[in-house]
Amino acid sequence: MSTHLALVLTTVNAPYGEQLDGAELAHCLSDITLAKQHPGQVSAFLGEVPVANQLKFADAYHIPFATLKALASDFAAWSGESYPLAA
């Protein structure tokens, strides 16, 4: 695993007992229903991980930009938070 992918997972999982691996996080970022089941990790990804690293992660897991952007918008609407990709 590349350094930037490891940093993404460290940032996303740091405060949580349940740790998501890359594939699990990628599934959450592709499906709003799954994202709602892991709101802390998804919020950390969208709000704490630099956008450049978000895009590298999405590329590594074959998540199209449009899918990630739509998820960010849907998750922001659901959570009441704001995220750079949701703008």
Side-chain angles (χ1 to χ4, degrees):
M1 177 182 306
S2 71
T3 302
H4 78 272
L5 292 180
L7 288 173
V8 166
L9 293 177
T10 299
T11 300
V12 167
N13 286 317
Y16 302 101
E18 181 182 359
Q19 304 286 293
L20 298 178
D21 66 20
E24 291 167 330
L25 179 58
H27 284 115
C28 289
L29 298 173
S30 300
D31 182 332
I32 190 66
T33 301
L34 289 175
K36 290 176 183 179
Q37 293 174 14
H38 301 281
Q41 284 101 333
V42 173
S43 182
F45 179 85
L46 295 171
E48 297 175 27
V49 173
V51 171
N53 286 350
Q54 290 178 34
L55 298 177
K56 288 178 186 176
F57 182 89
D59 186 55
Y61 284 92
H62 310 290
I63 302 169
F65 176 74
T67 299
L68 184 61
K69 187 163 178 59
L71 182 281
S73 295
D74 292 346
F75 193 79
W78 176 79
S79 69
E81 298 293 327
S82 61
Y83 304 108
L85 283 179

